[in-house]
Amino acid sequence: MKVIICGAGQVGWQIARHLSGEHNDVTVVDNNPELVRRATDTLDVQGIHGFASYPDVLERAGARDADMIIAATHSDEVNMVTCQVAHSVFKIQRKIARLRAKSYLTAIYSDLYQREHLPIDVVISPEREVAAAAMQRLSAPAAFDTETFMGGKAQLLGIQIDAECPVVNTPLRQLTDLFSTLRAIVVGVRRDGTLFAPEPGDQLFVGDSCYVFSHVDDVPRTIEVFGKKEKRQDRVVVVGGGNVGLEVAKALESSTSRIRAKVIERDRRCAERAAEELERTIVLNGDGLDRSLMIEAGIDKADAMLAVTDDDKTNMLAAVRAKAEGCPLAIALINDPTLVPLLPHLGIDAYINPRSTTVSSILRHIRYGRVRQVYSLGDAEAEMIEAEVLSTSPITGQMIRETDFPEGVLVGGILKNGEMLRPSGETRIEEGDVIALFAMADDVPEVERLLQVSIDYF
């Protein structure tokens, strides 16, 4: 597949990394020559320096025979015009645009993106993706990472293993015997900074981080099995009232849980805008690192704090301040993945990576065929892939123990006739089943081959 990626920033670079690693023909376009050079030096991609919306620049990028264009520059307008040029001049079939401005995302204007107007096939909103991720974190406060699968019937949980965990030093194969009715499987483990797919004889040690794929009804019990406690989130303090913070606050207001939220925003204009758009949320204008303002916001009585400013270090310090004042759950928005290993040492409970959420959303639409969901783990080290099994797939009709999955691939769950099951070696994979697979990044192409996704490419 030939793909043009417009914008070589964090999101564009990560998408290019994914697609080039799967042997696609990728060209990156950016008006910053340094970003283009970084992409071509570190990835197996071609680079074009220039403005992505210019027809001659897209021509040089190979738009005449491109299958897909992903417009992920920092400008909504450039992304929109790029998709229009790609459609009108070059007839590119698949067009994905990242849009941030709220006005462009309002539902009443959705007709704007039809083929006769602005022909954009998929619109990605980073703010909405992050807000959804924040709500996911609050739904499972004991987990440092979480994502739903199989139409809400399954959930992936990232759980930190500490000394109180009852299953420490227990071989994973024994967990099936100990908790025979628990529909949950450990699909990934991070140890000493390295993520891997565990084998049945592997054990969990204190300090490990593990990913568990669970039936949604068994999430509370899964959390308990791993030594964690869940608590209802009634009071939440949000530090940062910009685009992301505003989306998070709106999501909290619309939650059926009737969560009471307060927002702290340093910029007066942003604070005033947030106060105008929010109905039940109190907005405080001031520095989120100011202890007195934190106390005024009720941080000592809050159940959770979300730091979602546009500065990673501010978010980390705000989370540390919240923990120091007695807030039991602190979640920080972190763009730089190299800062993530510092979070446990600072006592920060969980983080949201906006790049990862946006990349996962784009991958969901890139992977053609019957792939229904993709979630990128860590620094694009692995993926959780949900896909429907086709009749032509090599794995159709086989039991899991007979299937030649790569070593870095584990089956997390199978949806059969609408029911999510915990798979075993004897489980037979049949046409129409929906299967959830944990796959290390290097094994994703082989997973797609086994699922026969490639037959539905362009």
Side-chain angles (χ1 to χ4, degrees), residues 92-134:
I92 296 178
Q93 290 298 309
R94 188 77 167 165
K95 298 163 289 292
I96 298 176
R98 181 176 65 167
L99 302 182
R100 294 179 178 274
K102 176 186 140 184
S103 183
Y104 291 138
L105 301 168
T106 304
I108 60 173
Y109 304 132
S110 59
D111 286 350
L112 177 65
Y113 307 114
Q114 293 183 359
R115 295 184 74 83
E116 61 267 26
H117 302 303
L118 271 173
I120 301 174
D121 300 297
V122 178
V123 172
I124 303 295
S125 166
E127 285 75 18
R128 289 182 178 176
E129 297 292 337
V130 169

Side-chain angles (χ1 to χ4, degrees), residues 186-423:
V186 177
V187 293
V189 176
R190 183 183 300 281
R191 180 173 299 151
D192 299 327
T194 300
L195 183 65
F196 62 93
E199 297 182 356
D202 286 338
Q203 304 174 29
L204 296 177
F205 301 128
V206 173
D208 287 351
S209 300
C210 69
Y211 288 94
V212 185
F213 196 84
S214 170
H215 192 293
V216 69
D217 292 341
D218 289 354
V219 166
R221 189 174 167 219
T222 300
I223 292 291
E224 183 181 346
V225 164
F226 285 87
K228 304 292 184 180
K229 294 181 179 179
E230 293 278 44
K231 182 184 177 184
R232 180 182 168 85
Q233 311 300 307
D234 293 320
R235 298 181 179 89
V236 177
V237 174
V238 180
V239 176
N243 289 335
V244 172
L246 184 57
E247 284 292 334
V248 170
K250 286 180 178 179
L252 292 171
E253 280 194 343
S254 61
S255 169
T256 56
S257 303
R258 305 292 295 178
I259 297 173
R260 287 176 285 177
K262 293 182 180 179
V263 174
I264 301 174
E265 170 53 45
R266 185 172 186 173
D267 183 270
R268 185 171 186 82
R269 288 200 301 175
C270 284
E272 290 174 348
R273 186 190 69 164
E276 289 174 1
E277 296 195 26
L278 296 169
E279 297 178 3
R280 303 192 314 272
T281 303
I282 296 172
V283 181
L284 303 176
N285 178 217
D287 189 347
L289 298 179
D290 186 330
R291 181 175 181 270
S292 61
L293 191 61
M294 278 266 201
I295 296 298
E296 183 181 346
I299 195 65
D300 54 329
K301 300 179 182 64
D303 299 306
M305 191 280 305
L306 290 164
V308 290
T309 75
D310 57 4
D311 184 80
D312 287 356
K313 297 177 180 63
T314 297
N315 294 337
M316 294 170 70
L317 289 173
V320 171
R321 170 74 76 187
K323 295 293 287 187
E325 298 302 330
C327 183
L329 176 66
I331 303 172
L333 186 73
I334 303 294
N335 286 280
D336 183 356
T338 65
L339 296 175
V340 172
L342 302 177
L343 301 185
H345 302 290
L346 296 173
I348 300 173
D349 301 288
Y351 70 95
I352 302 168
N353 184 338
R355 180 181 68 179
S356 179
T357 58
T358 304
V359 167
S360 293
S361 182
I362 292 174
L363 286 175
R364 198 174 306 145
H365 298 287
I366 285 176
R367 302 214 185 286
Y368 279 66
R370 301 301 173 86
V371 171
R372 309 195 327 175
Q373 168 83 323
V374 176
Y375 187 62
S376 179
L377 301 176
D379 188 18
E381 300 155 90
E383 293 179 15
M384 199 75 202
I385 301 172
E386 174 188 328
E388 182 180 342
V389 178
L390 303 174
S391 60
T392 54
S393 169
I395 65 176
T396 302
Q398 293 187 359
M399 289 188 288
I400 289 179
R401 61 178 174 80
E402 299 172 340
T403 306
D404 190 21
F405 286 120
E407 289 186 6
V409 175
L410 285 178
V411 181
I414 293 184
L415 192 68
K416 282 182 176 289
N417 301 317
E419 182 182 358
M420 203 295 252
L421 307 175
R422 180 179 68 179

